[in-house]
Amino acid sequence: MFLWGVVWVADKLLVVLVPLAVAGLLARALWPVARLLRRRLAPAIASAVTLLGFVLVLVGGLGLVGWAVAGQVDELGPTLDRAVDDVTDWLVDDSPFDVTRDDVDGWREAAEEALPEVLTEQATATSGIVLAGEIVVGALLSLVVTFFLLKDGTRLAGRAAELAPAHRREVTERAIVRGWDAAGGYLRGAALLGLVEAVIIGVTSLVVGAELVAAVMLVTFLAAFVPIAGAVVSGAVAVMVALVTAGTGPALVVAVVAILVQQFDNDLLAPAIYGRATQLHPLVVLLGIVGGGALFGFVGAVFAVPFLAVVINAFDEVRHGGRPARAVTT
C-alpha cells in the first residue's frame, strides 16, 4: 500500500518531478565543466556561465539540426505509414502465411490500443495553450534547479547525508556519490552509443540509396536514451524508411546492419562505455522501461533506466560498500 501511495503521489506531481529529473541529469552532464570553471571563478558565476553556455550551445545545435532535417521530419510519418501498408500487402498477397487483411487490421488496432495513452489523455484534458505553458514553466524550473545544483550540489549532498543517523552518514555519502556516478555513466553511455549507432545507420542508409537519412539519424540518436526498446524502435524506423524509399534489398541491408550494430554495442561497446556505474541486467532494463511506461506513460519509459541505475547503485553501496567516502568530483 505504501508503494502504491508513492506511485499515486508521483503521478499527481509529474509536472514538478519531470523538471526536477531533467535538472538532475542536466546538472550531472554539466558538472565537469562547472567544476573546471570553479577553479578560477566563484561558484555562482561558474554555474551561471556553464548554464548560459549550455543554453547557447543547445539553441545553436537545435538550429543546425533543424536545418539538417528541414522537411524530413514532416515526411517521416507518411513514409512510415506507406511502409506499414507495403508490409500489409506483402503479408496478405505474397507471404506464405494464411493472413487476411482483416487480421492485419485487427493487429494494428490492438497495437495502437496497447500504446501508452498518456499523450492522448493530456491532449484531451489539457488545452494546447495550457500544455505549452506547462512546458515553458517546466523548462524554466529545470534551468533554475540546474543552476542551484551546479552551485550548491556538493553542499546539498552533504546536508542530505547529515539527515542520516550518525553511524550511517559515511555509507550514505558513499551511496550519494555512487548514484551520482551512475547518472554520469548513463548519460555518457547513452550519448556515445547513440552517436555511434546514428552514424553507422545513417551511412548505411545513404549508401543503399534511402532517403530521410538525417531524420533517421536523429531518431536513432534520441532513441539511445531508452535502452533496448529505443534500439528496436529506431531500427524498425530505419528499415521501414529504406523499404519505402529504396526498396526491399536496401531495407534488408539496413536491417542486417542494425542487428549487427546492436550486437556490437551490447557485447563490446556498452560494457566499456557504461562501465561499472550502470551495470544493469538487460532484463532489469526491459522490465523497468515497461513498468515505467505502464505507470507514467512515455515519461516513465524515458526516465526508468537512469532512475533504476541511480537507485540500484546507491542501494548496492549501502549494502556492500566498504570504500571510504570521497567528494563528488566526477
Side-chain angles (χ1 to χ4, degrees):
M1 289 298 294
F2 173 76
L3 290 178
W4 182 252
V6 171
V7 170
W8 182 85
V9 172
D11 183 59
K12 298 301 181 182
L13 295 178
L14 274 184
V15 68
V16 175
L17 294 179
V18 171
L20 292 180
V22 171
L25 292 176
L26 183 57
R28 184 60 185 91
L30 298 178
W31 178 256
V33 178
R35 179 168 57 89
L36 183 64
L37 292 178
R38 289 174 66 155
R39 296 177 181 176
R40 297 181 177 272
L41 302 173
I45 298 177
S47 302
V49 171
T50 301
L51 195 57
L52 179 60
F54 164 75
V55 172
L56 293 177
V57 171
L58 178 63
V59 172
L62 290 177
L64 290 176
V65 171
W67 173 79
V69 302
Q72 293 193 9
V73 174
D74 292 337
E75 298 177 14
L76 188 59
T79 300
L80 295 178
D81 288 338
R82 290 198 300 273
V84 173
D85 293 337
D86 290 344
V87 173
T88 299
D89 292 338
W90 177 81
L91 283 173
V92 174
D93 300 329
D94 301 322
S95 75
F97 309 108
D98 185 16
V99 177
T100 65
R101 195 167 296 276
D102 291 337
D103 294 333
V104 177
D105 291 340
W107 297 337
R108 292 178 66 173
E109 291 178 1
E112 292 174 357
E113 293 176 356
L115 293 175
E117 300 178 356
V118 62
L119 296 179
T120 56
E121 290 176 358
Q122 291 178 348
T124 55
T126 309
S127 68
I129 297 178
V130 174
L131 184 59
E134 290 181 352
I135 293 175
V136 172
V137 172
L140 292 176
L141 178 59
S142 295
L143 293 176
V144 172
V145 174
T146 300
F147 169 78
F148 283 108
L149 289 178
L150 292 175
K151 175 178 174 290
D152 302 319
T154 303
R155 186 170 62 182
L156 292 174
R159 292 286 180 84
E162 290 176 359
L163 296 176
H167 67 285
R168 303 293 293 176
R169 286 176 186 170
E170 184 177 352
V171 71
T172 302
E173 291 177 0
R174 292 200 302 267
I176 293 174
V177 172
R178 179 86 174 267
W180 185 252
D181 289 343
Y186 162 76
L187 290 172
R188 289 192 302 270
L192 289 176
L193 289 177
L195 182 61
V196 170
E197 294 171 4
V199 170
I200 295 177
I201 296 299
V203 170
T204 302
S205 299
L206 189 63
V207 169
V208 301
E211 300 177 6
L212 308 180
V213 175
V216 169
M217 292 179 65
L218 178 61
V219 170
T220 302
F221 175 78
L222 295 177
F225 288 87
V226 185
I228 300 178
V232 173
V233 172
S234 63
V237 168
V239 171
M240 294 172 74
V241 169
L243 176 65
V244 172
T245 61
T248 304
L252 291 175
V253 172
V254 173
V256 171
V257 171
I259 294 173
L260 292 177
V261 168
Q262 289 305 313
Q263 291 302 313
F264 176 70
D265 286 351
N266 293 336
D267 296 338
L268 297 176
L269 284 184
I273 292 176
Y274 282 113
R276 180 174 180 269
T278 54
Q279 282 187 350
L280 299 178
H281 192 279
L283 181 60
V284 175
V285 173
L286 183 59
L287 292 177
I289 293 173
V290 173
L295 292 173
F296 305 111
F298 177 74
V299 171
V302 170
F303 288 101
V305 175
F307 175 79
L308 285 175
V310 170
V311 171
I312 290 177
N313 277 272
F315 183 70
D316 181 69
E317 188 66 28
V318 171
R319 293 182 60 200
H320 305 109
R323 301 183 303 277
R326 58 187 176 88
V328 178
T329 57
T330 58

Short mmCIF file of all heavy atoms in Angstrom, two decimals, residues 201 235 239 252-266:
data_model
loop_
_atom_site.label_atom_id
_atom_site.label_comp_id
_atom_site.label_asym_id
_atom_site.label_seq_id
_atom_site.Cartn_x
_atom_site.Cartn_y
_atom_site.Cartn_z
N ILE A 201 24.08 3.73 -38.91
CA ILE A 201 22.80 3.57 -39.61
C ILE A 201 22.64 4.64 -40.68
O ILE A 201 22.15 4.37 -41.79
CB ILE A 201 21.63 3.64 -38.60
CG1 ILE A 201 21.70 2.47 -37.62
CG2 ILE A 201 20.29 3.62 -39.34
CD1 ILE A 201 21.59 1.11 -38.27
N GLY A 235 15.60 1.02 -35.07
CA GLY A 235 15.95 0.09 -36.14
C GLY A 235 14.78 -0.18 -37.07
O GLY A 235 14.94 -0.22 -38.29
N VAL A 239 14.57 0.68 -41.12
CA VAL A 239 14.25 -0.36 -42.10
C VAL A 239 13.02 0.03 -42.92
O VAL A 239 13.00 -0.13 -44.15
CB VAL A 239 14.03 -1.71 -41.39
CG1 VAL A 239 13.49 -2.75 -42.36
CG2 VAL A 239 15.34 -2.20 -40.77
N LEU A 252 16.64 -4.76 -46.42
CA LEU A 252 17.25 -5.93 -45.79
C LEU A 252 18.68 -5.62 -45.34
O LEU A 252 19.12 -6.06 -44.27
CB LEU A 252 17.25 -7.11 -46.76
CG LEU A 252 15.88 -7.72 -47.07
CD1 LEU A 252 16.00 -8.80 -48.13
CD2 LEU A 252 15.24 -8.28 -45.81
N VAL A 253 19.41 -4.86 -46.17
CA VAL A 253 20.78 -4.48 -45.80
C VAL A 253 20.76 -3.64 -44.52
O VAL A 253 21.55 -3.86 -43.60
CB VAL A 253 21.45 -3.71 -46.95
CG1 VAL A 253 22.80 -3.15 -46.49
CG2 VAL A 253 21.62 -4.60 -48.16
N VAL A 254 19.86 -2.66 -44.45
CA VAL A 254 19.75 -1.81 -43.27
C VAL A 254 19.37 -2.65 -42.05
O VAL A 254 19.89 -2.44 -40.95
CB VAL A 254 18.72 -0.69 -43.49
CG1 VAL A 254 18.47 0.08 -42.20
CG2 VAL A 254 19.19 0.26 -44.58
N ALA A 255 18.47 -3.63 -42.24
CA ALA A 255 18.06 -4.48 -41.13
C ALA A 255 19.23 -5.28 -40.59
O ALA A 255 19.44 -5.39 -39.37
CB ALA A 255 16.93 -5.41 -41.57
N VAL A 256 20.03 -5.87 -41.50
CA VAL A 256 21.19 -6.66 -41.07
C VAL A 256 22.19 -5.78 -40.33
O VAL A 256 22.71 -6.16 -39.27
CB VAL A 256 21.85 -7.33 -42.29
CG1 VAL A 256 23.17 -7.98 -41.89
CG2 VAL A 256 20.92 -8.38 -42.89
N VAL A 257 22.47 -4.60 -40.87
CA VAL A 257 23.42 -3.69 -40.22
C VAL A 257 22.90 -3.26 -38.85
O VAL A 257 23.67 -3.20 -37.88
CB VAL A 257 23.68 -2.46 -41.11
CG1 VAL A 257 24.48 -1.41 -40.35
CG2 VAL A 257 24.41 -2.87 -42.38
N ALA A 258 21.60 -2.97 -38.75
CA ALA A 258 21.03 -2.55 -37.47
C ALA A 258 21.18 -3.65 -36.42
O ALA A 258 21.54 -3.38 -35.26
CB ALA A 258 19.55 -2.19 -37.64
N ILE A 259 20.94 -4.90 -36.82
CA ILE A 259 21.08 -6.02 -35.88
C ILE A 259 22.54 -6.20 -35.46
O ILE A 259 22.84 -6.39 -34.27
CB ILE A 259 20.55 -7.32 -36.52
CG1 ILE A 259 19.03 -7.21 -36.73
CG2 ILE A 259 20.88 -8.53 -35.65
CD1 ILE A 259 18.44 -8.37 -37.51
N LEU A 260 23.45 -6.11 -36.43
CA LEU A 260 24.87 -6.26 -36.11
C LEU A 260 25.35 -5.13 -35.20
O LEU A 260 26.14 -5.36 -34.28
CB LEU A 260 25.70 -6.27 -37.41
CG LEU A 260 25.50 -7.50 -38.30
CD1 LEU A 260 26.33 -7.36 -39.58
CD2 LEU A 260 25.90 -8.78 -37.56
N VAL A 261 24.89 -3.92 -35.46
CA VAL A 261 25.29 -2.78 -34.63
C VAL A 261 24.81 -2.98 -33.19
O VAL A 261 25.56 -2.72 -32.23
CB VAL A 261 24.72 -1.46 -35.20
CG1 VAL A 261 24.86 -0.33 -34.20
CG2 VAL A 261 25.45 -1.10 -36.48
N GLN A 262 23.58 -3.44 -33.04
CA GLN A 262 23.06 -3.67 -31.70
C GLN A 262 23.85 -4.75 -30.97
O GLN A 262 24.16 -4.61 -29.78
CB GLN A 262 21.57 -4.07 -31.76
CG GLN A 262 20.66 -2.94 -32.15
CD GLN A 262 20.82 -1.74 -31.23
OE1 GLN A 262 20.86 -1.88 -30.01
NE2 GLN A 262 20.94 -0.57 -31.82
N GLN A 263 24.20 -5.82 -31.66
CA GLN A 263 25.00 -6.86 -31.03
C GLN A 263 26.39 -6.35 -30.66
O GLN A 263 26.91 -6.63 -29.58
CB GLN A 263 25.12 -8.07 -31.97
CG GLN A 263 23.83 -8.82 -32.17
CD GLN A 263 23.25 -9.33 -30.86
OE1 GLN A 263 23.95 -9.91 -30.03
NE2 GLN A 263 21.97 -9.11 -30.64
N PHE A 264 26.98 -5.56 -31.56
CA PHE A 264 28.30 -4.99 -31.29
C PHE A 264 28.24 -4.06 -30.09
O PHE A 264 29.12 -4.09 -29.22
CB PHE A 264 28.77 -4.23 -32.53
CG PHE A 264 30.08 -3.51 -32.35
CD1 PHE A 264 31.26 -4.22 -32.21
CD2 PHE A 264 30.12 -2.13 -32.30
CE1 PHE A 264 32.47 -3.55 -32.04
CE2 PHE A 264 31.32 -1.46 -32.13
CZ PHE A 264 32.50 -2.18 -32.00
N ASP A 265 27.21 -3.22 -30.02
CA ASP A 265 27.06 -2.31 -28.89
C ASP A 265 26.84 -3.06 -27.59
O ASP A 265 27.47 -2.76 -26.57
CB ASP A 265 25.90 -1.35 -29.14
CG ASP A 265 26.25 -0.29 -30.17
OD1 ASP A 265 27.43 -0.20 -30.56
OD2 ASP A 265 25.34 0.44 -30.61
N ASN A 266 25.93 -4.04 -27.62
CA ASN A 266 25.59 -4.75 -26.39
C ASN A 266 26.76 -5.58 -25.86
O ASN A 266 26.96 -5.68 -24.64
CB ASN A 266 24.38 -5.66 -26.63
CG ASN A 266 23.11 -4.87 -26.91
OD1 ASN A 266 22.99 -3.72 -26.50
ND2 ASN A 266 22.18 -5.48 -27.61
#
